[in-house]
């Protein structure tokens, strides 16, 4: 009897061992075949390298791209033929990719031949291990140009230049909105006009004009290729002569990093990803800012004019104190004594907080370092708390006067449940987790950058500059079309008193709102307050997902405890059966 029992036990143990072995092998097969974009790195990274790595990580996460940071040595150990299906793209970020082993030229050539795709920046592979500049960059022969010309030009090898797209069609392809380019297709921005970027001088060997999407244009009128796409059928190399990650991490300008990644990954390569918009629709935020007592008269007037509409939910950010410029001037909005106006605004959208109690007073104190940390928190909390008591809910949206933000304010806002804020940096970009001085402002708060019209943004600026009503309406309509076409969220901000000072812009705004409502009724657009979109993006960022190949089939796993509502997956046609 005991012998039979022993035999049974041994059999059970063997079955368990075999079962566990099969399970581990099954799990390992999943690990070996994830579908991911590879982003090349090395270790250890210095502080700038960490900041740039975090900048790329932030954008890729927000855009729902399955990706993995991988050491360059690990890439070289792999077989290009074996990894190309599961890893169709490799990104070489700026700064992090300065020193690339010479062997990569051969490996990348093979990878591209079998359909691999590469994104490289203006300093990828320009240095040797001993920190000396190479005579020729690692990828120069593939690109048909040399982008490390230090030996030839020395101090002039790196210069500042404007960025000009080849034509309007090309700018549209790279998702450049109407307000971010001028009539000559130069990239512009709020306040600055045509922007200048640090770029590398280039010596051309074998490039056709059709391969160049954008140029670096120098002060003397000469120009070099800036954005270049080389197709090797089926593989591609996209070269961008810009420090993309540095611009986001340190320059408060993430626009080009995001648009280059979106265009390359989604339009050119068409990789599988989680869509960054609810139900794959475009988004529009209208943010009204209430700063002072002029709005006592303008809020009812905008209601009469049909600008405030109950089926057009907006964000309304209020500076709630009774003074504006200095203590006791009684020029503030004074929300505590104008509850009917706050309640009226609540009928049309979500109440947010604007600054620390008194708009100009708070901004002046903050910019002149006349507050200690406790006072900054005191006045932000005072504004939020009063508005929260009136509204009956936690205030979760914020605008800092004159867009004055620092990491102290980030901590205060997070402590006070804020999830979204208006931002003057990253102008023209979709909402994002912005960076300040190399560090992410917040992992869960989303900045909503303004959409400029050239170097202007506010209606006051547009009016004083003499932009016609027709030009203003064209900008509004083009901005709306841009959001709808590219499935992005954009924000328009204004004060009610703007339209009292410049009434010629009222009808264009109404036409814009009418068109937005048409798109919403066609199920193409979401018109919502800031916090609605921020909540969705936080949900998406906390959704666990995996794309993997098993038995030559793609499997997609998603998990979020509260369900997958509004989460959308984009799949390229070649991965789908018809």
């Amino acid at each position: 009897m005991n012998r039979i029992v022993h035999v049974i036990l041994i059999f059970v143990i063997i079955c368990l061992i075999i079962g566990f072995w099969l399970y581990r092998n099954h799990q390992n097969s999943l690990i070996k075949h994830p579908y991911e974009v590879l982003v090349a790195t090395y270790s250890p990274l210095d502080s700038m390298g960490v900041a740039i790595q975090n900048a790329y990580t932030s954008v890729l996460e927000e855009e729902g791209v399955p990706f993995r940071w991988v050491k360059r040595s690990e890439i070289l150990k792999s077989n290009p033929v074996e990894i190309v299906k599961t890893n169709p793209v490799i990104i070489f970020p700026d700064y992090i990719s300065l020193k690339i082993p010479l062997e990569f030229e051969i490996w990348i050539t093979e990878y591209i031949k079998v359909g691999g795709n590469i994104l490289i920046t203006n300093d990828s592979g320009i240095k040797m291990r001993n920190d000396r500049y190479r005579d020729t960059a690692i990828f120069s022969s593939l690109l048909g140009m040399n982008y490390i010309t230090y030996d030839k030009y020395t101090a002039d090898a790196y210069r500042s230049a404007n960025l000009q797209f080849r034509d309007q069609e090309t700018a549209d392809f790279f998702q450049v909105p109407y307000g971010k380019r001028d009539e000559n297709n130069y990239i512009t921005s709020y306040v600055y006009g045509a922007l200048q970027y640090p770029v590398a001088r280039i010596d051309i060997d074998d490039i056709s004009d059709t391969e160049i999407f954008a140029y670096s244009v120098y002060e003397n009128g000469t120009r070099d290729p800036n954005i270049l796409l080389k197709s090797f059928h089926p593989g591609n190399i996209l070269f961008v002569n810009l420090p993309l990650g540095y611009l986001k991490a340190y320059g408060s300008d993430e626009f080009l990093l995001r648009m280059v990644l979106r265009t390359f990954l989604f339009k050119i390569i068409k990789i599988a990803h989680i869509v960054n918009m609810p139900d794959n629709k475009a988004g529009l935020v209208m943010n009204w800012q209430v700063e002072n007592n002029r709005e006592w008269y303008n809020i009812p007037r905008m209601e009469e004019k049909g600008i405030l509409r109950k089926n057009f939910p907006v964000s309304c950010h209020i500076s709630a104190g009774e003074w504006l410029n200095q203590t006791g001037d009684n020029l503030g909005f004074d929300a505590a004594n104008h509850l009917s106006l706050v309640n009226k605004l609540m009928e049309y959208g979500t109440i947010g907080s604007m600054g620390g109690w008194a708009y100009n007073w708070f901004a002046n104190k903050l910019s002149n370092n006349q507050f200690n940390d406790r006072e900054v928190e005191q006045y932000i909390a005072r504004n939020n708390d009063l508005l929260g008591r009136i509204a009956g809910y936690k205030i979760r949206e914020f605008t800092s006067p004159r867009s004055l933000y620092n990491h102290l304010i980030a901590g205060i806002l997070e402590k006070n449940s804020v999830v979204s804020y208006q931002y003057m940096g990253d102008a023209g970009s979709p909402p994002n987790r912005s960076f300040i001085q190399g560090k992410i402002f917040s992992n869960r708060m989303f900045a909503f950058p303004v959409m400029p019209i050239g170097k202007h943004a506010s209606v006051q600026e547009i009016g004083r500059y003499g932009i016609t009503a027709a030009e203003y309406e064209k900008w509004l309509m083009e901005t709306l079309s841009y959001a709808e076409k590219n499935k992005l969220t954009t924000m328009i901000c204004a004060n009610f008193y703007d339209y009292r000072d410049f009434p010629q812009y009222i009808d264009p705004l109404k036409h814009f709102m009418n068109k937005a409502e048409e798109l919403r009724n066609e199920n193409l657009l979401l018109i919502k307050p800031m916090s609605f979109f921020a909540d969705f993006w936080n949900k998406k960022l906390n959704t666990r997902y995996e794309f993997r190949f098993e038995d030559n089939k793609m499997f997609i796993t998603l998990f979020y405890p509260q369900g997958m509502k509004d989460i959308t997956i984009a799949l390229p046609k070649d991965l789908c059966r018809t």
Side-chain angles (χ1 to χ4, degrees), residues 48 65 132 200 256 300 337 358 377 380 436 569:
M48 185 180 292
V65 176
R132 294 187 63 185
L256 288 167
N337 292 306
E377 181 167 8
I380 289 176
I436 295 176
I569 301 169

Side-chain angles (χ1 to χ4, degrees), residues 103-126:
E103 310 90 88
F104 255 104
E105 182 179 6
I106 299 171
W107 193 96
I108 290 298
T109 301
E110 292 301 313
Y111 179 69
I112 291 170
K113 282 181 181 178
V114 293
N117 304 279
I118 306 293
L119 171 61
I120 61 177
T121 54
N122 64 347
D123 59 4
S124 297
I126 66 170

Side-chain angles (χ1 to χ4, degrees), residues 150-288:
Y150 185 78
D151 284 348
K152 182 175 180 179
Y153 300 113
T154 60
D156 215 25
Y158 288 90
R159 299 172 61 183
S160 294
N162 298 121
L163 179 63
Q164 182 186 36
F165 278 84
R166 188 174 69 204
D167 49 37
Q168 182 177 327
E169 182 181 1
T170 305
D172 288 340
F173 182 73
F174 270 84
Q175 305 180 46
V176 181
Y178 177 80
K180 279 286 290 182
R181 62 181 191 255
D182 64 15
E183 64 277 7
N184 295 312
N185 294 306
Y186 285 93
I187 294 293
T188 63
S189 191
Y190 178 56
V191 177
Y192 299 102
L195 291 174
Q196 288 205 326
Y197 296 97
V199 299
R201 290 283 300 276
I202 286 174
D203 281 344
I204 296 174
D205 180 27
D206 181 22
I207 297 175
S208 69
D209 290 343
T210 57
E211 294 173 324
I212 303 171
F213 286 78
Y215 294 89
S216 304
V217 182
Y218 304 109
E219 286 186 7
N220 63 3
T222 60
R223 61 184 190 172
D224 282 333
N226 190 293
I227 300 178
L228 172 79
L229 180 66
K230 281 275 190 179
S231 291
F232 295 88
H233 306 295
N236 300 276
I237 297 183
L238 183 68
F239 172 82
V240 182
N241 191 2
L242 294 165
L244 298 172
Y246 182 88
L247 290 172
K248 177 173 176 67
Y250 293 97
S252 297
D253 186 2
E254 73 125 41
F255 175 76
L256 288 167
L257 172 61
R258 186 174 298 268
M259 294 312 155
V260 164
L261 288 174
R262 283 176 58 90
T263 303
F264 187 58
L265 297 177
F266 302 159
K267 283 190 171 185
I268 298 172
I269 311 305
K270 298 181 175 64
I271 68 159
H273 63 282
I274 308 297
V275 177
N276 198 29
M277 287 299 297
D279 202 23
N280 199 26
K281 297 177 184 176
L284 173 66
V285 173
M286 187 75 195
N287 184 25
W288 291 104

Side-chain angles (χ1 to χ4, degrees), residues 354-365:
M354 192 170 193
W357 193 247
Y359 184 81
N360 288 333
W361 173 85
F362 182 80
N364 290 336
K365 293 275 190 181

